[in-house]
Amino acid sequence: MRPLLLALLALLSACQNLPPPPDWQSPEGRHDPRLGLIQDLRSGERLTPGQLVERLADQSRVLVGEQHDNPDHHALQLWLLRALESRRAQGSLLLEMLEPAQQASVDAVHKGPLPADLPRALAWRPSWDWTLYGPIVTHALAQPYPLLAANLDRDEIKRLYRERPQLQGERSTRDDVSSSLLAQIRESHCGMLPESQLPAMLAVQQQRDRRMAERLLAAPVPAMLLAGGFHVRRDLGVPLHLEDLGQTRGTAVLMLAEVGKPVARGEADYVWYTAALPAIDHCAGLRESVSPRR
């Protein structure tokens, strides 16, 4: 009885020692009752940040889904990474935002003092906002564990688009998975992508997910992957590929989601609702640019 009591007291002390999560930066949803809610989607249980950290600390692989342009998601990722580091040694951090061609530069920077122009030294892609990702990358490069590329190189993407290789695996190739991903591709391209291009776009999307799964399996554990929400979804993304590759245990999916964008039970294990950015019609400008001029 005494050892159990000591363990419970140690766990309670660890939870209390966590710093509070960062303040919200995004302007919308500040009065939404779900703001800040952390939920175990399997049981429906509401969790404190400390309870979430303790549950994730037991997992070999933690997949964190983000909305790329939301600053609150990146602030929470850094908070979570530090919190997990305080519980056990971190094995590795993997980023969708890094490509294999950048790995040598990342490893070289990791070995020495950080250069003054870190984005340039890493050959950081300008399509990923450095003001959002810089704090996470800078922190990781100062740690003993490796920072690893999880994406495809651009040349690989061109080849996959052209060749459309057959994906192997029972779960990731189901018809319902393909149809859901195709619907997402159509929507993300504002319904303006020619139908003839959809199979190639689907092949690239799924090969990205397969690469992330392969990199996770090869990475030192406990490993954390930061990627877009669709990539980490349990019903569509990397977890299906992990299962196809024989990894069925020790993986947890946390979805960071803006309030007003509910996450269903089958999509993740946990959800943390955050403040939201103002709604933008990203398709309006595209429709305007292609509409016939009068």
Side-chain angles (χ1 to χ4, degrees), residues 146-214:
L147 176 63
L148 301 173
N151 211 330
L152 300 165
D153 273 326
R154 297 188 177 188
D155 288 344
E156 290 181 288
I157 292 174
K158 292 177 182 178
R159 178 180 59 80
L160 292 167
Y161 190 90
R162 191 171 57 247
E163 298 176 2
R164 285 183 257 168
Q166 185 68 36
L167 189 68
Q168 300 299 316
E170 180 180 346
R171 298 180 183 274
S172 59
T173 59
R174 294 197 315 259
D175 289 342
D176 62 313
V177 174
S178 300
S179 60
S180 294
L181 287 173
L182 284 170
Q184 186 269 334
I185 292 170
R186 287 190 187 95
E187 181 181 354
S188 65
H189 289 81
C190 307
M192 303 179 70
L193 194 69
E195 287 292 314
S196 60
Q197 293 185 28
L198 290 177
M201 297 293 289
L202 176 62
V204 171
Q205 172 79 9
Q206 292 206 288
Q207 290 293 340
R208 272 199 173 107
D209 292 343
R210 178 58 59 92
R211 172 61 57 82
M212 293 183 200
E214 291 169 344

Side-chain angles (χ1 to χ4, degrees), residues 98 101-103 105-107 109-110 115 117-125 130 137-138 141 147:
L98 287 173
Q102 297 169 273
Q103 191 65 60
S105 297
V106 172
D107 293 343
V109 170
H110 194 208
D117 191 346
L118 184 53
R120 182 177 181 180
L122 299 174
W124 187 261
R125 301 296 189 192
W130 180 253
V137 173
T138 302
L141 287 171
L147 176 63

Side-chain angles (χ1 to χ4, degrees), residues 48-127:
T48 66
Q51 288 172 327
L52 175 66
V53 168
E54 293 307 321
R55 295 187 186 194
L56 295 180
D58 290 334
Q59 302 296 320
S60 297
R61 297 169 185 87
V62 175
L63 285 61
V64 183
E66 64 176 47
Q67 180 175 307
H68 294 312
D69 59 351
N70 189 309
D72 292 307
H73 292 193
H74 303 293
L76 282 178
Q77 287 168 342
L78 180 55
W79 179 89
L80 180 63
L81 181 60
R82 286 172 165 161
L84 288 172
E85 290 169 358
S86 72
R87 295 296 174 268
R88 78 290 186 273
Q90 182 70 28
S92 56
L93 176 66
L94 299 90
L95 300 183
E96 175 195 351
M97 305 82 209
L98 287 173
E99 302 166 13
Q102 297 169 273
Q103 191 65 60
S105 297
V106 172
D107 293 343
V109 170
H110 194 208
K111 293 177 182 178
L114 297 183
D117 191 346
L118 184 53
R120 182 177 181 180
L122 299 174
W124 187 261
R125 301 296 189 192
S127 54

